[in-house]
Amino acid sequence: MPKANLYDMAGKLLGEIELSEAIFGIEPNQAVVHEAVKNHLSNRRQGTQSALTRAEVSGGGKKPWRQKGTGHARQGSTRAPQWTHGGIVFAPKPRSYRTSMNKKARRLALKSALSAKAADNAILVVDGLELAEIKTKTMKTFLDAIGASKSVVITPEVNEKVVLSARNIPGAVTTTAKVLSIYDIVNAKQLVIDKAALAIIEEVYA
């Protein structure tokens, strides 16, 4: 049975908490995690690149010189690709890089990522992740106290105080238990999970 350290908001170690074997104790499937990360990064691409082909560049309607007798190579337009200010040969055009991934594979990738973090002892559970006020210093002190550097902070619901307090901390990402990003989990060094959020994760993804 995988376990994780349980802390309070003062950074004090309270003991250990058992994690669900079905979510945090499976054999990680690296291939499907890799596919999920590629899918995420592809879907982030804007695909707004654009350049002009020879048909779209202005000018060049007149033949530069006659076909024969000049000693030059034959040319039909000054907007052909070999000319300065000419068009681009295979000009990139706006396109979508979006790819899809089926639900079973995505869920397996998420469980694999969580299990890999549990195996590395990179999951830190907090007994009641609450802040009295929006204060970056308080959040930074807490994360330092539990040894979380580049981390994903997971709360049960959107917690405005936690989100706003963590947004200026380098490497810190906040999310909720029902909206977990496989890319963020893989990219982080630690997962800081509210105890209530852990219960939601084990219920939703079991």
Side-chain angles (χ1 to χ4, degrees):
M1 179 71 74
K3 295 181 179 180
N5 288 337
L6 180 65
Y7 297 89
D8 61 14
M9 281 302 294
K12 181 183 177 183
L13 180 62
L14 302 178
E16 291 186 329
I17 185 170
E18 290 188 348
L19 304 174
S20 170
E21 186 82 36
I23 297 173
F24 297 94
I26 71 167
E27 181 68 30
N29 186 322
Q30 293 185 354
V32 77
V33 172
H34 178 251
E35 190 64 33
V37 171
K38 280 204 311 180
N39 174 256
H40 173 84
L41 294 175
S42 293
N43 293 347
R44 275 174 52 173
R45 294 185 69 174
Q46 289 185 310
T48 54
Q49 73 279 34
S50 185
L52 301 180
T53 63
R54 62 180 295 169
E56 297 166 319
V57 183
S58 62
K62 181 184 176 184
K63 187 175 174 65
W65 49 74
R66 60 195 175 91
Q67 182 81 347
K68 292 178 174 291
T70 64
H72 292 298
R74 54 196 175 191
Q75 300 291 330
S77 168
T78 56
R79 289 300 176 259
Q82 71 271 22
W83 285 74
T84 301
H85 306 304
I88 304 299
V89 181
F90 298 112
K93 293 296 178 184
R95 55 164 287 194
S96 172
Y97 289 93
R98 183 160 289 278
T99 59
S100 60
M101 190 174 179
N102 68 57
K103 289 182 180 179
K104 284 187 177 179
R106 187 180 297 280
R107 180 158 292 198
L108 176 59
L110 179 61
K111 290 180 179 180
S112 295
L114 291 172
S115 295
K117 286 292 184 237
D120 292 340
N121 295 318
I123 294 180
L124 313 172
V125 183
V126 184
D127 189 12
L129 182 53
E130 286 292 338
L131 295 175
E133 58 180 337
I134 299 171
K135 195 81 172 175
T136 301
K137 185 177 180 181
T138 304
M139 190 69 184
K140 182 72 167 64
T141 301
F142 163 67
L143 293 176
D144 289 344
I146 63 175
S149 51
K150 188 179 181 182
S151 57
V152 177
V153 181
I154 305 172
T155 53
E157 302 293 339
V158 177
N159 188 322
E160 187 179 9
K161 291 178 181 176
V162 172
V163 172
L164 296 180
S165 296
R167 67 179 176 177
N168 284 335
I169 300 175
V173 177
T174 55
T175 186
T176 60
K178 294 181 180 179
V179 191
L180 296 179
S181 165
I182 298 166
Y183 174 79
D184 285 343
I185 292 171
V186 171
N187 196 38
K189 289 184 178 179
Q190 293 93 12
L191 303 183
V192 180
I193 310 177
D194 187 292
K195 191 176 179 181
L198 179 64
I200 294 173
I201 292 171
E202 293 181 343
E203 179 185 349
V204 172
Y205 300 105

